[in-house]
């Protein structure tokens, strides 16, 4: 059967949008497969806390933006997400904090940080209980990723990085 490549990106986007329904913010041990995911607590400067969970083909970063640094930046600590064994990845995010704010990310590739890029709010998702951000593609050369917010948020922002097999 010949694959229709023109619908594949739309199918992937649909899956990503549907996956925004799964809530990782209050992950319960009884709902997870112990040994399947690895939960790593990261220490963050300026009390901006984060946790990193790796499950199969998904990195989940639960990031709080609770404190500014001396330059009025609200930054998370860079998180290691080596994508070299993948054919690429897609970044998406959501939060239960619906006020007006923006989130940004930058990536470390080949020992060089990119400029900050905005994760724009997804206007096609109508969920009054969540602010959902549109997905962005990531290169397999990404080694680390860092997030920032335009203002302090009242709840964490959940960033998900879906990896694609080589």
């Amino acid at each position: 059967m010949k694959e229709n490549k023109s619908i594949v990106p739309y199918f992937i986007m649909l899956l990503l949008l549907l996956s925004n329904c799964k809530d990782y913010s209050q992950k319960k041990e009884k709902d997870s497969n112990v040994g399947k995911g690895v939960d790593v607590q990261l220490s963050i400067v300026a009390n901006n806390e984060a946790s990193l969970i790796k499950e199969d083909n998904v990195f989940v970063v639960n990031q709080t933006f609770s404190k500014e640094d001396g330059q009025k930046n609200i930054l998370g600590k860079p998180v290691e997400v080596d994508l070299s064994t993948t054919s690429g990845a897609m970044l998406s995010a959501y939060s239960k904090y619906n006020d007006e704010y923006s989130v940004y990310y930058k990536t470390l590739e080949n020992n060089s940080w990119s400029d900050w890029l905005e994760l724009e709010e997804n206007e096609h998702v109508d969920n009054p209980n969540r602010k959902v951000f549109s997905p962005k593609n990531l290169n397999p050369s990404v080694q680390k990723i860092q997030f920032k917010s335009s203002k302090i948020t009242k709840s964490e922002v959940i960033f998900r990085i879906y990896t694609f097999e080589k």
Side-chain angles (χ1 to χ4, degrees):
M1 183 164 100
K2 187 174 181 182
E3 181 180 311
N4 185 349
K5 293 186 183 217
S6 64
I7 65 167
V8 171
Y10 297 107
F11 181 70
I12 291 171
M13 292 293 289
L14 177 62
L15 288 175
L16 286 172
L17 289 174
L18 291 174
S19 69
N20 276 323
C21 296
K22 187 170 181 182
D23 185 357
Y24 283 99
S25 64
Q26 297 299 321
K27 187 169 180 70
K28 295 181 177 81
E29 187 174 1
K30 68 179 182 175
D31 294 336
S32 68
N33 292 333
V34 178
K36 182 178 180 185
V38 178
D39 189 357
V40 180
Q41 293 296 326
L42 303 173
S43 60
I44 303 298
V45 258
N47 292 334
N48 290 331
E49 299 173 10
S51 67
L52 173 67
I53 300 168
K54 172 70 167 105
E55 292 185 342
D56 296 330
N57 67 328
V58 181
F59 290 94
V60 180
V61 180
N62 298 324
Q63 176 73 61
T64 60
F65 296 107
S66 58
K67 199 167 207 179
E68 294 178 339
D69 67 11
Q71 290 79 40
K72 303 278 186 199
N73 293 312
I74 306 168
L75 301 173
K77 182 178 178 182
V79 177
E80 190 169 328
V81 290
D82 182 9
L83 302 178
S84 64
T85 60
T86 72
S87 64
M90 190 164 288
L91 170 67
S92 69
Y94 76 91
S95 178
K96 292 181 180 177
Y97 179 59
N98 288 328
D99 283 4
E100 287 299 317
Y101 67 98
S102 300
V103 294
Y104 305 86
Y105 71 98
K106 66 179 181 177
T107 58
L108 178 68
E109 298 180 54
N110 304 316
N111 298 319
S112 178
W113 283 101
S114 69
D115 292 332
W116 287 105
L117 300 169
E118 183 175 0
L119 265 180
E120 297 163 355
E121 189 171 351
N122 190 330
E123 301 296 329
H124 301 290
V125 176
D126 185 21
N127 186 334
N129 300 318
R130 289 186 183 193
K131 183 171 188 161
V132 178
F133 298 92
S134 294
K136 298 284 186 178
N137 289 320
L138 297 176
N139 296 323
S141 55
V142 170
Q143 301 161 306
K144 292 184 181 182
I145 191 164
Q146 184 176 13
F147 302 105
K148 79 173 182 176
S149 177
S150 63
K151 67 186 241 183
I152 291 172
T153 60
K154 294 179 182 173
S155 67
E156 63 191 357
V157 179
I158 313 305
F159 295 94
R160 287 190 227 134
I161 301 169
Y162 299 90
T163 60
F164 306 121
E165 292 182 20
K166 266 192 174 182

